[in-house]
Amino acid sequence: MHTPLVIIGSGPAGLSSAIYTCRSGIDTIVFGSKPKVAGDYEIDNYFGFEETISGKELLGKGRAQAERFGARFKEDRVLSVHHNESGGFHIKTEHEEFDACAVILATGVGRVRPGISNLKDYEGKGVSYCVSCDGFFYKNRKVIVVGEGIYAANQALELLSYTPHVTIITQGKKSSITPEFQQRLSAAGITVSEQKIETLSGSPALSSVTLSDGTSLEAEGIFIAMGEASSLDFAYTLGLERSGVFLVADKEQKTNIPGIYAAGDCTGGFLQIAVAVGEGATAARSAIAHIKENCKG
């Protein structure tokens, strides 16, 4: 399916972007599960609300406004974003695939850490966060995907292009992989273990892992894929410039990749709703201009 614009994230930045793009006549699909500003979170400092408002209520109003202008919302989880042959972007979700001319990343921030004591010692020496970036280096080698959900399952299946020796370890979490993906993993010979990796070993690079029950497994590569795909995961696959855990965007919310824009907490700075809403509007303006210039017909 083709669409001019995909917004990943349905928090304040993503909703603000959708309102602007839809009002300008751009067909917009918004992906997002539960945003961070939700539930009983109380907001006292957002412009225009005399009384305290909950995050859930504020986001509900923002979503209703975006829907009024034609935004299409999908609860489907985004698994990956890649460049496509036409110069745009290919978005793969749990259930569908899309091609878009432009993408606004409004995913918030916060990578789930796996709790492996010496993980940093092996980053670049066997630990990776990007299968499409580094999978090639592990041809026919034993590798582990660390994660408990569909994102991990998708990364494990993608690794089969390079090696048949793939295992998923959930770090002690209960697997949330759907039956459909479980079937695909089983058919591919990929096992899922709810064990936990405690430490990594090997010199000069990774060669094995030690589990919480004291046993060891051979592994020359570990791919971290916990929780859902984040802005950092998309950054690795797209080649986006990063600053620590944040995406680098200019004053027009443009990243270093034309057609990709970033807004809200994923860009760092002053992590406030008012800022996210403003950045969302700016990202929308930039995306609108890009689409009108580059996506004829």
Side-chain angles (χ1 to χ4, degrees), residues 7-11 30-35 63 73-78 228:
I7 297 173
I8 304 177
S10 57
V30 183
F31 289 99
S33 51
K34 296 177 181 177
R63 176 165 175 152
F73 286 84
K74 291 183 176 286
E75 304 300 324
D76 212 356
R77 285 174 283 192
V78 176
E228 296 186 22

Side-chain angles (χ1 to χ4, degrees), residues 103-260:
V103 175
I104 295 175
L105 298 175
T107 53
V109 69
R111 178 187 291 279
V112 180
R113 304 298 294 183
I116 300 172
S117 62
N118 58 341
L119 185 74
K120 284 189 175 295
D121 295 341
Y122 285 90
E123 289 181 342
K125 299 177 181 179
V127 172
S128 175
Y129 297 89
C130 177
V131 169
S132 60
C133 307
D134 299 329
F136 174 83
F137 300 109
Y138 297 91
K139 282 190 172 182
N140 297 314
R141 298 184 178 187
K142 292 181 178 180
V143 297
I144 293 170
V145 174
V146 177
E148 76 286 2
I150 291 174
Y151 176 49
N154 184 67
Q155 293 292 279
L157 291 167
E158 189 174 332
L159 274 166
L160 293 177
S161 299
Y162 308 103
T163 177
H165 311 297
V166 183
T167 301
I168 295 175
I169 294 181
T170 70
Q171 279 306 87
K173 294 176 177 284
K174 184 174 177 58
S175 172
S176 60
I177 299 170
T178 61
E180 177 191 348
F181 271 89
Q182 286 173 355
Q183 276 191 332
R184 292 173 62 187
L185 294 172
S186 179
I190 298 173
T191 59
V192 179
S193 167
E194 293 186 355
Q195 279 269 23
K196 182 179 180 182
I197 298 173
E198 295 287 351
T199 58
L200 310 179
S201 303
S203 180
L206 179 70
S207 62
S208 67
V209 304
T210 301
L211 304 178
S212 52
D213 65 0
T215 60
S216 293
L217 288 180
E218 286 184 56
E220 293 182 81
I222 289 183
F223 291 82
I224 308 299
M226 299 192 72
E228 296 186 22
S230 69
S231 58
L232 277 184
D233 298 308
F234 303 139
Y236 281 113
T237 57
L238 291 167
L240 297 176
E241 184 180 353
R242 309 177 302 278
S243 177
V245 298
F246 300 110
L247 304 183
V248 174
D250 66 13
K251 64 181 181 179
E252 296 180 316
Q253 305 310 131
K254 297 177 180 178
T255 69
N256 60 308
I257 303 295
I260 298 285

Side-chain angles (χ1 to χ4, degrees), residues 253-294:
Q253 305 310 131
K254 297 177 180 178
T255 69
N256 60 308
I257 303 295
I260 298 285
Y261 308 90
D265 288 2
C266 66
T267 65
F270 191 31
L271 305 183
Q272 294 290 300
I273 294 173
V275 175
V277 169
E279 288 187 356
T282 303
R285 183 180 66 174
S286 296
I288 291 165
H290 176 84
I291 289 167
K292 287 183 175 179
E293 183 176 345
N294 297 280

